PDB file of all heavy atoms in Angstrom:
ATOM      1  N   SER A  12       4.698  -0.570   4.458  1.00 81.00           N
ATOM      2  CA  SER A  12       3.651  -0.751   3.523  1.00 81.00           C
ATOM      3  C   SER A  12       4.105  -0.087   2.112  1.00 81.00           C
ATOM      4  O   SER A  12       5.110   0.659   2.166  1.00 81.00           O
ATOM      5  CB  SER A  12       2.369  -0.022   4.016  1.00 81.00           C
ATOM      6  OG  SER A  12       2.534   1.377   4.069  1.00 81.00           O
ATOM      7  N   VAL A  13       3.366  -0.405   1.102  1.00 71.00           N
ATOM      8  CA  VAL A  13       3.761   0.096  -0.185  1.00 71.00           C
ATOM      9  C   VAL A  13       3.572   1.639  -0.211  1.00 71.00           C
ATOM     10  O   VAL A  13       4.232   2.323  -1.015  1.00 71.00           O
ATOM     11  CB  VAL A  13       2.939  -0.564  -1.344  1.00 71.00           C
ATOM     12  CG1 VAL A  13       3.343  -2.018  -1.472  1.00 71.00           C
ATOM     13  CG2 VAL A  13       1.478  -0.348  -1.055  1.00 71.00           C
ATOM     14  N   GLU A  14       2.841   2.192   0.610  1.00 66.00           N
ATOM     15  CA  GLU A  14       2.639   3.699   0.735  1.00 66.00           C
ATOM     16  C   GLU A  14       3.757   4.332   1.342  1.00 66.00           C
ATOM     17  O   GLU A  14       3.824   5.627   1.412  1.00 66.00           O
ATOM     18  CB  GLU A  14       1.323   4.001   1.438  1.00 66.00           C
ATOM     19  CG  GLU A  14       0.007   3.534   0.728  1.00 66.00           C
ATOM     20  CD  GLU A  14      -0.289   2.059   1.071  1.00 66.00           C
ATOM     21  OE1 GLU A  14       0.399   1.379   2.042  1.00 66.00           O
ATOM     22  OE2 GLU A  14      -1.113   1.521   0.415  1.00 66.00           O
ATOM     23  N   PHE A  15       4.767   3.644   1.878  1.00 66.00           N
ATOM     24  CA  PHE A  15       5.857   4.197   2.666  1.00 66.00           C
ATOM     25  C   PHE A  15       6.726   5.014   1.762  1.00 66.00           C
ATOM     26  O   PHE A  15       7.295   6.004   2.222  1.00 66.00           O
ATOM     27  CB  PHE A  15       6.686   3.042   3.270  1.00 66.00           C
ATOM     28  CG  PHE A  15       7.917   3.496   4.046  1.00 66.00           C
ATOM     29  CD1 PHE A  15       7.625   4.000   5.327  1.00 66.00           C
ATOM     30  CD2 PHE A  15       9.090   3.395   3.493  1.00 66.00           C
ATOM     31  CE1 PHE A  15       8.802   4.488   6.114  1.00 66.00           C
ATOM     32  CE2 PHE A  15      10.255   3.892   4.306  1.00 66.00           C
ATOM     33  CZ  PHE A  15      10.072   4.402   5.542  1.00 66.00           C
ATOM     34  N   SER A  16       6.883   4.713   0.450  1.00 64.00           N
ATOM     35  CA  SER A  16       7.797   5.399  -0.376  1.00 64.00           C
ATOM     36  C   SER A  16       7.078   5.628  -1.660  1.00 64.00           C
ATOM     37  O   SER A  16       6.126   4.963  -2.098  1.00 64.00           O
ATOM     38  CB  SER A  16       9.126   4.729  -0.572  1.00 64.00           C
ATOM     39  OG  SER A  16       8.952   3.648  -1.483  1.00 64.00           O
ATOM     40  N   ASP A  17       7.613   6.526  -2.530  1.00 60.00           N
ATOM     41  CA  ASP A  17       7.096   6.833  -3.835  1.00 60.00           C
ATOM     42  C   ASP A  17       7.254   5.645  -4.739  1.00 60.00           C
ATOM     43  O   ASP A  17       6.527   5.469  -5.766  1.00 60.00           O
ATOM     44  CB  ASP A  17       7.826   8.027  -4.494  1.00 60.00           C
ATOM     45  CG  ASP A  17       7.572   9.290  -3.721  1.00 60.00           C
ATOM     46  OD1 ASP A  17       6.503   9.407  -3.036  1.00 60.00           O
ATOM     47  OD2 ASP A  17       8.424  10.206  -3.786  1.00 60.00           O
ATOM     48  N   LEU A  18       8.179   4.794  -4.513  1.00 63.00           N
ATOM     49  CA  LEU A  18       8.456   3.577  -5.327  1.00 63.00           C
ATOM     50  C   LEU A  18       7.399   2.494  -5.047  1.00 63.00           C
ATOM     51  O   LEU A  18       7.163   1.678  -6.005  1.00 63.00           O
ATOM     52  CB  LEU A  18       9.852   2.998  -5.091  1.00 63.00           C
ATOM     53  CG  LEU A  18      11.037   3.999  -5.380  1.00 63.00           C
ATOM     54  CD1 LEU A  18      12.320   3.300  -5.059  1.00 63.00           C
ATOM     55  CD2 LEU A  18      10.995   4.288  -6.861  1.00 63.00           C
ATOM     56  N   GLY A  19       6.818   2.513  -3.921  1.00 65.00           N
ATOM     57  CA  GLY A  19       5.769   1.445  -3.644  1.00 65.00           C
ATOM     58  C   GLY A  19       6.280   0.103  -3.881  1.00 65.00           C
ATOM     59  O   GLY A  19       5.754  -0.667  -4.678  1.00 65.00           O
ATOM     60  N   GLU A  20       7.187  -0.388  -3.007  1.00 74.00           N
ATOM     61  CA  GLU A  20       7.891  -1.671  -3.225  1.00 74.00           C
ATOM     62  C   GLU A  20       7.361  -2.764  -2.356  1.00 74.00           C
ATOM     63  O   GLU A  20       7.554  -2.786  -1.181  1.00 74.00           O
ATOM     64  CB  GLU A  20       9.399  -1.594  -2.996  1.00 74.00           C
ATOM     65  CG  GLU A  20      10.078  -0.496  -3.769  1.00 74.00           C
ATOM     66  CD  GLU A  20      11.568  -0.237  -3.349  1.00 74.00           C
ATOM     67  OE1 GLU A  20      12.356  -0.971  -3.827  1.00 74.00           O
ATOM     68  OE2 GLU A  20      11.743   0.673  -2.628  1.00 74.00           O
ATOM     69  N   PRO A  21       6.512  -3.655  -2.909  1.00 84.00           N
ATOM     70  CA  PRO A  21       5.912  -4.817  -2.183  1.00 84.00           C
ATOM     71  C   PRO A  21       6.748  -6.067  -2.059  1.00 84.00           C
ATOM     72  O   PRO A  21       6.281  -7.074  -1.668  1.00 84.00           O
ATOM     73  CB  PRO A  21       4.620  -5.080  -2.884  1.00 84.00           C
ATOM     74  CG  PRO A  21       5.044  -4.863  -4.362  1.00 84.00           C
ATOM     75  CD  PRO A  21       6.041  -3.699  -4.312  1.00 84.00           C
ATOM     76  N   ASP A  22       8.026  -5.951  -2.431  1.00 90.00           N
ATOM     77  CA  ASP A  22       8.785  -7.215  -2.690  1.00 90.00           C
ATOM     78  C   ASP A  22       8.925  -8.077  -1.392  1.00 90.00           C
ATOM     79  O   ASP A  22       8.830  -9.226  -1.531  1.00 90.00           O
ATOM     80  CB  ASP A  22      10.258  -6.748  -3.041  1.00 90.00           C
ATOM     81  CG  ASP A  22      10.251  -5.787  -4.310  1.00 90.00           C
ATOM     82  OD1 ASP A  22       9.948  -4.614  -4.129  1.00 90.00           O
ATOM     83  OD2 ASP A  22      10.687  -6.240  -5.356  1.00 90.00           O
ATOM     84  N   VAL A  23       9.159  -7.509  -0.289  1.00 93.00           N
ATOM     85  CA  VAL A  23       9.273  -8.320   0.955  1.00 93.00           C
ATOM     86  C   VAL A  23       8.005  -8.916   1.263  1.00 93.00           C
ATOM     87  O   VAL A  23       7.872 -10.118   1.652  1.00 93.00           O
ATOM     88  CB  VAL A  23       9.791  -7.501   2.111  1.00 93.00           C
ATOM     89  CG1 VAL A  23       9.655  -8.142   3.446  1.00 93.00           C
ATOM     90  CG2 VAL A  23      11.266  -6.954   1.908  1.00 93.00           C
ATOM     91  N   GLU A  24       6.897  -8.192   1.127  1.00 92.00           N
ATOM     92  CA  GLU A  24       5.561  -8.814   1.354  1.00 92.00           C
ATOM     93  C   GLU A  24       5.334 -10.045   0.461  1.00 92.00           C
ATOM     94  O   GLU A  24       4.864 -11.105   0.870  1.00 92.00           O
ATOM     95  CB  GLU A  24       4.556  -7.714   1.118  1.00 92.00           C
ATOM     96  CG  GLU A  24       3.044  -8.257   1.292  1.00 92.00           C
ATOM     97  CD  GLU A  24       2.089  -7.121   0.948  1.00 92.00           C
ATOM     98  OE1 GLU A  24       2.482  -5.991   0.623  1.00 92.00           O
ATOM     99  OE2 GLU A  24       0.832  -7.476   1.113  1.00 92.00           O
ATOM    100  N   LEU A  25       5.644  -9.965  -0.795  1.00 92.00           N
ATOM    101  CA  LEU A  25       5.494 -10.987  -1.723  1.00 92.00           C
ATOM    102  C   LEU A  25       6.413 -12.146  -1.398  1.00 92.00           C
ATOM    103  O   LEU A  25       5.913 -13.331  -1.473  1.00 92.00           O
ATOM    104  CB  LEU A  25       5.760 -10.528  -3.179  1.00 92.00           C
ATOM    105  CG  LEU A  25       4.835  -9.443  -3.662  1.00 92.00           C
ATOM    106  CD1 LEU A  25       5.270  -8.923  -5.048  1.00 92.00           C
ATOM    107  CD2 LEU A  25       3.365  -9.956  -3.811  1.00 92.00           C
ATOM    108  N   ALA A  26       7.603 -11.879  -1.030  1.00 94.00           N
ATOM    109  CA  ALA A  26       8.534 -12.894  -0.631  1.00 94.00           C
ATOM    110  C   ALA A  26       8.036 -13.673   0.562  1.00 94.00           C
ATOM    111  O   ALA A  26       8.190 -14.964   0.588  1.00 94.00           O
ATOM    112  CB  ALA A  26       9.990 -12.347  -0.411  1.00 94.00           C
ATOM    113  N   ALA A  27       7.572 -12.939   1.562  1.00 94.00           N
ATOM    114  CA  ALA A  27       7.059 -13.617   2.713  1.00 94.00           C
ATOM    115  C   ALA A  27       5.884 -14.571   2.475  1.00 94.00           C
ATOM    116  O   ALA A  27       5.738 -15.657   2.948  1.00 94.00           O
ATOM    117  CB  ALA A  27       6.646 -12.587   3.873  1.00 94.00           C
ATOM    118  N   ALA A  28       5.032 -14.085   1.465  1.00 94.00           N
ATOM    119  CA  ALA A  28       3.843 -14.893   1.189  1.00 94.00           C
ATOM    120  C   ALA A  28       4.304 -16.185   0.415  1.00 94.00           C
ATOM    121  O   ALA A  28       3.789 -17.211   0.731  1.00 94.00           O
ATOM    122  CB  ALA A  28       2.948 -13.968   0.179  1.00 94.00           C
ATOM    123  N   GLU A  29       5.319 -16.000  -0.406  1.00 94.00           N
ATOM    124  CA  GLU A  29       5.834 -17.152  -1.069  1.00 94.00           C
ATOM    125  C   GLU A  29       6.421 -18.241  -0.067  1.00 94.00           C
ATOM    126  O   GLU A  29       6.324 -19.424  -0.259  1.00 94.00           O
ATOM    127  CB  GLU A  29       7.039 -16.821  -2.065  1.00 94.00           C
ATOM    128  CG  GLU A  29       6.476 -16.021  -3.143  1.00 94.00           C
ATOM    129  CD  GLU A  29       7.734 -15.428  -3.969  1.00 94.00           C
ATOM    130  OE1 GLU A  29       8.849 -15.842  -3.722  1.00 94.00           O
ATOM    131  OE2 GLU A  29       7.489 -14.569  -4.810  1.00 94.00           O
ATOM    132  N   LEU A  30       6.976 -17.740   0.933  1.00 95.00           N
ATOM    133  CA  LEU A  30       7.680 -18.517   1.969  1.00 95.00           C
ATOM    134  C   LEU A  30       6.687 -18.912   3.085  1.00 95.00           C
ATOM    135  O   LEU A  30       7.061 -19.713   4.022  1.00 95.00           O
ATOM    136  CB  LEU A  30       8.851 -17.811   2.581  1.00 95.00           C
ATOM    137  CG  LEU A  30      10.002 -17.513   1.604  1.00 95.00           C
ATOM    138  CD1 LEU A  30      10.907 -16.456   2.166  1.00 95.00           C
ATOM    139  CD2 LEU A  30      10.772 -18.729   1.274  1.00 95.00           C
ATOM    140  N   GLY A  31       5.452 -18.496   3.099  1.00 96.00           N
ATOM    141  CA  GLY A  31       4.536 -18.861   4.126  1.00 96.00           C
ATOM    142  C   GLY A  31       4.853 -18.259   5.489  1.00 96.00           C
ATOM    143  O   GLY A  31       4.503 -18.792   6.477  1.00 96.00           O
ATOM    144  N   LEU A  32       5.384 -16.998   5.533  1.00 97.00           N
ATOM    145  CA  LEU A  32       5.833 -16.340   6.716  1.00 97.00           C
ATOM    146  C   LEU A  32       4.855 -15.249   7.097  1.00 97.00           C
ATOM    147  O   LEU A  32       4.306 -14.555   6.231  1.00 97.00           O
ATOM    148  CB  LEU A  32       7.221 -15.802   6.538  1.00 97.00           C
ATOM    149  CG  LEU A  32       8.306 -16.749   6.197  1.00 97.00           C
ATOM    150  CD1 LEU A  32       9.640 -16.091   5.829  1.00 97.00           C
ATOM    151  CD2 LEU A  32       8.570 -17.827   7.354  1.00 97.00           C
ATOM    152  N   PRO A  33       4.663 -15.102   8.388  1.00 96.00           N
ATOM    153  CA  PRO A  33       3.718 -14.031   8.837  1.00 96.00           C
ATOM    154  C   PRO A  33       4.392 -12.668   8.634  1.00 96.00           C
ATOM    155  O   PRO A  33       5.593 -12.477   8.772  1.00 96.00           O
ATOM    156  CB  PRO A  33       3.526 -14.340  10.354  1.00 96.00           C
ATOM    157  CG  PRO A  33       4.738 -15.115  10.742  1.00 96.00           C
ATOM    158  CD  PRO A  33       5.155 -15.886   9.531  1.00 96.00           C
ATOM    159  N   VAL A  34       3.540 -11.688   8.262  1.00 96.00           N
ATOM    160  CA  VAL A  34       4.001 -10.333   7.895  1.00 96.00           C
ATOM    161  C   VAL A  34       3.304  -9.308   8.826  1.00 96.00           C
ATOM    162  O   VAL A  34       2.088  -9.383   9.047  1.00 96.00           O
ATOM    163  CB  VAL A  34       3.727  -9.960   6.461  1.00 96.00           C
ATOM    164  CG1 VAL A  34       4.157  -8.574   6.115  1.00 96.00           C
ATOM    165  CG2 VAL A  34       4.408 -11.079   5.524  1.00 96.00           C
ATOM    166  N   ARG A  35       4.020  -8.274   9.197  1.00 94.00           N
ATOM    167  CA  ARG A  35       3.444  -7.191   9.906  1.00 94.00           C
ATOM    168  C   ARG A  35       4.121  -5.875   9.329  1.00 94.00           C
ATOM    169  O   ARG A  35       5.260  -5.904   8.749  1.00 94.00           O
ATOM    170  CB  ARG A  35       3.757  -7.267  11.384  1.00 94.00           C
ATOM    171  CG  ARG A  35       3.156  -6.123  12.226  1.00 94.00           C
ATOM    172  CD  ARG A  35       3.189  -6.507  13.671  1.00 94.00           C
ATOM    173  NE  ARG A  35       2.578  -5.413  14.418  1.00 94.00           N
ATOM    174  CZ  ARG A  35       2.138  -5.409  15.615  1.00 94.00           C
ATOM    175  NH1 ARG A  35       2.124  -6.533  16.292  1.00 94.00           N
ATOM    176  NH2 ARG A  35       1.706  -4.253  16.332  1.00 94.00           N
ATOM    177  N   TYR A  36       3.320  -4.797   9.337  1.00 93.00           N
ATOM    178  CA  TYR A  36       3.771  -3.577   8.676  1.00 93.00           C
ATOM    179  C   TYR A  36       4.020  -2.476   9.727  1.00 93.00           C
ATOM    180  O   TYR A  36       3.260  -2.391  10.698  1.00 93.00           O
ATOM    181  CB  TYR A  36       2.665  -3.073   7.763  1.00 93.00           C
ATOM    182  CG  TYR A  36       2.284  -4.070   6.699  1.00 93.00           C
ATOM    183  CD1 TYR A  36       1.284  -4.978   6.838  1.00 93.00           C
ATOM    184  CD2 TYR A  36       3.126  -4.220   5.584  1.00 93.00           C
ATOM    185  CE1 TYR A  36       1.031  -5.976   5.917  1.00 93.00           C
ATOM    186  CE2 TYR A  36       2.758  -5.131   4.509  1.00 93.00           C
ATOM    187  CZ  TYR A  36       1.752  -5.989   4.742  1.00 93.00           C
ATOM    188  OH  TYR A  36       1.427  -6.947   3.747  1.00 93.00           O
ATOM    189  N   SER A  37       5.008  -1.701   9.461  1.00 91.00           N
ATOM    190  CA  SER A  37       5.294  -0.588  10.378  1.00 91.00           C
ATOM    191  C   SER A  37       6.132   0.487   9.592  1.00 91.00           C
ATOM    192  O   SER A  37       6.946   0.029   8.728  1.00 91.00           O
ATOM    193  CB  SER A  37       6.060  -1.096  11.637  1.00 91.00           C
ATOM    194  OG  SER A  37       6.393   0.099  12.417  1.00 91.00           O
ATOM    195  N   ALA A  38       5.979   1.693   9.913  1.00 89.00           N
ATOM    196  CA  ALA A  38       6.923   2.692   9.326  1.00 89.00           C
ATOM    197  C   ALA A  38       8.195   2.923  10.190  1.00 89.00           C
ATOM    198  O   ALA A  38       9.237   3.172   9.624  1.00 89.00           O
ATOM    199  CB  ALA A  38       6.182   4.020   9.188  1.00 89.00           C
ATOM    200  N   THR A  39       8.023   2.839  11.523  1.00 91.00           N
ATOM    201  CA  THR A  39       9.078   3.235  12.393  1.00 91.00           C
ATOM    202  C   THR A  39       9.474   2.137  13.436  1.00 91.00           C
ATOM    203  O   THR A  39      10.462   2.310  14.182  1.00 91.00           O
ATOM    204  CB  THR A  39       8.684   4.457  13.197  1.00 91.00           C
ATOM    205  OG1 THR A  39       7.534   4.281  14.054  1.00 91.00           O
ATOM    206  CG2 THR A  39       8.359   5.634  12.228  1.00 91.00           C
ATOM    207  N   ALA A  40       8.685   1.110  13.586  1.00 91.00           N
ATOM    208  CA  ALA A  40       8.921   0.013  14.532  1.00 91.00           C
ATOM    209  C   ALA A  40       8.812   0.586  16.022  1.00 91.00           C
ATOM    210  O   ALA A  40       9.389   0.112  16.876  1.00 91.00           O
ATOM    211  CB  ALA A  40      10.186  -0.722  14.388  1.00 91.00           C
ATOM    212  N   ARG A  41       7.981   1.684  16.199  1.00 93.00           N
ATOM    213  CA  ARG A  41       7.796   2.280  17.480  1.00 93.00           C
ATOM    214  C   ARG A  41       6.520   1.999  18.279  1.00 93.00           C
ATOM    215  O   ARG A  41       6.366   2.398  19.371  1.00 93.00           O
ATOM    216  CB  ARG A  41       8.010   3.829  17.371  1.00 93.00           C
ATOM    217  CG  ARG A  41       9.384   4.205  16.871  1.00 93.00           C
ATOM    218  CD  ARG A  41       9.526   5.773  16.946  1.00 93.00           C
ATOM    219  NE  ARG A  41      10.827   6.072  16.559  1.00 93.00           N
ATOM    220  CZ  ARG A  41      12.026   6.080  17.268  1.00 93.00           C
ATOM    221  NH1 ARG A  41      11.838   5.672  18.557  1.00 93.00           N
ATOM    222  NH2 ARG A  41      13.150   6.353  16.859  1.00 93.00           N
ATOM    223  N   GLU A  42       5.708   1.106  17.658  1.00 92.00           N
ATOM    224  CA  GLU A  42       4.393   0.876  18.273  1.00 92.00           C
ATOM    225  C   GLU A  42       4.573  -0.056  19.488  1.00 92.00           C
ATOM    226  O   GLU A  42       5.154  -1.109  19.467  1.00 92.00           O
ATOM    227  CB  GLU A  42       3.494   0.091  17.272  1.00 92.00           C
ATOM    228  CG  GLU A  42       3.279   0.918  15.956  1.00 92.00           C
ATOM    229  CD  GLU A  42       4.269   0.793  14.924  1.00 92.00           C
ATOM    230  OE1 GLU A  42       5.340   0.216  15.164  1.00 92.00           O
ATOM    231  OE2 GLU A  42       3.959   1.169  13.731  1.00 92.00           O
ATOM    232  N   PRO A  43       3.965   0.286  20.617  1.00 93.00           N
ATOM    233  CA  PRO A  43       4.115  -0.482  21.821  1.00 93.00           C
ATOM    234  C   PRO A  43       3.658  -1.920  21.674  1.00 93.00           C
ATOM    235  O   PRO A  43       4.242  -2.843  22.177  1.00 93.00           O
ATOM    236  CB  PRO A  43       3.297   0.243  22.878  1.00 93.00           C
ATOM    237  CG  PRO A  43       3.363   1.667  22.403  1.00 93.00           C
ATOM    238  CD  PRO A  43       3.335   1.654  20.877  1.00 93.00           C
ATOM    239  N   ASP A  44       2.537  -2.179  20.987  1.00 93.00           N
ATOM    240  CA  ASP A  44       2.031  -3.489  20.766  1.00 93.00           C
ATOM    241  C   ASP A  44       2.957  -4.257  19.866  1.00 93.00           C
ATOM    242  O   ASP A  44       3.026  -5.518  20.057  1.00 93.00           O
ATOM    243  CB  ASP A  44       0.630  -3.456  20.114  1.00 93.00           C
ATOM    244  CG  ASP A  44       0.592  -2.898  18.720  1.00 93.00           C
ATOM    245  OD1 ASP A  44       1.204  -1.788  18.434  1.00 93.00           O
ATOM    246  OD2 ASP A  44      -0.131  -3.437  17.837  1.00 93.00           O
ATOM    247  N   LEU A  45       3.704  -3.721  18.995  1.00 92.00           N
ATOM    248  CA  LEU A  45       4.725  -4.385  18.261  1.00 92.00           C
ATOM    249  C   LEU A  45       5.786  -4.854  19.191  1.00 92.00           C
ATOM    250  O   LEU A  45       6.265  -6.037  19.041  1.00 92.00           O
ATOM    251  CB  LEU A  45       5.273  -3.520  17.116  1.00 92.00           C
ATOM    252  CG  LEU A  45       6.480  -4.058  16.351  1.00 92.00           C
ATOM    253  CD1 LEU A  45       6.135  -5.342  15.648  1.00 92.00           C
ATOM    254  CD2 LEU A  45       7.114  -3.027  15.406  1.00 92.00           C
ATOM    255  N   HIS A  46       6.231  -3.976  20.074  1.00 95.00           N
ATOM    256  CA  HIS A  46       7.310  -4.367  21.014  1.00 95.00           C
ATOM    257  C   HIS A  46       6.851  -5.534  21.877  1.00 95.00           C
ATOM    258  O   HIS A  46       7.663  -6.525  22.182  1.00 95.00           O
ATOM    259  CB  HIS A  46       7.593  -3.118  21.962  1.00 95.00           C
ATOM    260  CG  HIS A  46       8.076  -1.944  21.179  1.00 95.00           C
ATOM    261  ND1 HIS A  46       8.544  -0.863  21.751  1.00 95.00           N
ATOM    262  CD2 HIS A  46       8.386  -1.814  19.772  1.00 95.00           C
ATOM    263  CE1 HIS A  46       8.913   0.004  20.806  1.00 95.00           C
ATOM    264  NE2 HIS A  46       8.828  -0.536  19.644  1.00 95.00           N
ATOM    265  N   GLU A  47       5.632  -5.547  22.332  1.00 94.00           N
ATOM    266  CA  GLU A  47       5.097  -6.666  23.121  1.00 94.00           C
ATOM    267  C   GLU A  47       5.041  -8.003  22.312  1.00 94.00           C
ATOM    268  O   GLU A  47       5.388  -9.001  22.776  1.00 94.00           O
ATOM    269  CB  GLU A  47       3.670  -6.254  23.614  1.00 94.00           C
ATOM    270  CG  GLU A  47       3.102  -7.433  24.503  1.00 94.00           C
ATOM    271  CD  GLU A  47       4.013  -7.655  25.774  1.00 94.00           C
ATOM    272  OE1 GLU A  47       4.640  -6.663  26.183  1.00 94.00           O
ATOM    273  OE2 GLU A  47       3.952  -8.766  26.272  1.00 94.00           O
ATOM    274  N   HIS A  48       4.684  -7.745  21.034  1.00 96.00           N
ATOM    275  CA  HIS A  48       4.596  -8.970  20.131  1.00 96.00           C
ATOM    276  C   HIS A  48       6.057  -9.599  19.946  1.00 96.00           C
ATOM    277  O   HIS A  48       6.231 -10.766  19.994  1.00 96.00           O
ATOM    278  CB  HIS A  48       4.038  -8.632  18.735  1.00 96.00           C
ATOM    279  CG  HIS A  48       3.844  -9.774  17.894  1.00 96.00           C
ATOM    280  ND1 HIS A  48       3.527  -9.503  16.533  1.00 96.00           N
ATOM    281  CD2 HIS A  48       3.923 -11.146  18.053  1.00 96.00           C
ATOM    282  CE1 HIS A  48       3.351 -10.678  15.947  1.00 96.00           C
ATOM    283  NE2 HIS A  48       3.551 -11.679  16.855  1.00 96.00           N
ATOM    284  N   LEU A  49       7.037  -8.718  19.809  1.00 95.00           N
ATOM    285  CA  LEU A  49       8.422  -9.153  19.623  1.00 95.00           C
ATOM    286  C   LEU A  49       8.956  -9.856  20.852  1.00 95.00           C
ATOM    287  O   LEU A  49       9.633 -10.912  20.821  1.00 95.00           O
ATOM    288  CB  LEU A  49       9.318  -7.977  19.314  1.00 95.00           C
ATOM    289  CG  LEU A  49       9.091  -7.314  17.882  1.00 95.00           C
ATOM    290  CD1 LEU A  49       9.973  -6.149  17.685  1.00 95.00           C
ATOM    291  CD2 LEU A  49       9.242  -8.351  16.746  1.00 95.00           C
TER     292      LEU A  49
END
């Protein structure tokens, strides 16, 4: 998420929206439900 760093970079989120791709947010990719989704 943009809150992840002081720079607040939404670039990937914007690119995914342009390409019509689903987006999910995570700081560490450690969430069990994310693993199940993958």
Side-chain angles (χ1 to χ4, degrees):
S12 67
V13 293
E14 294 82 13
F15 180 78
S16 77
D17 293 337
L18 298 177
E20 301 173 83
D22 307 73
V23 168
E24 178 184 0
L25 295 174
E29 293 169 12
L30 296 164
L32 300 173
V34 178
R35 184 162 174 164
Y36 303 92
S37 177
T39 62
R41 295 188 178 280
E42 300 87 346
D44 64 316
L45 171 63
H46 300 180
E47 183 59 32
H48 188 192
L49 293 176

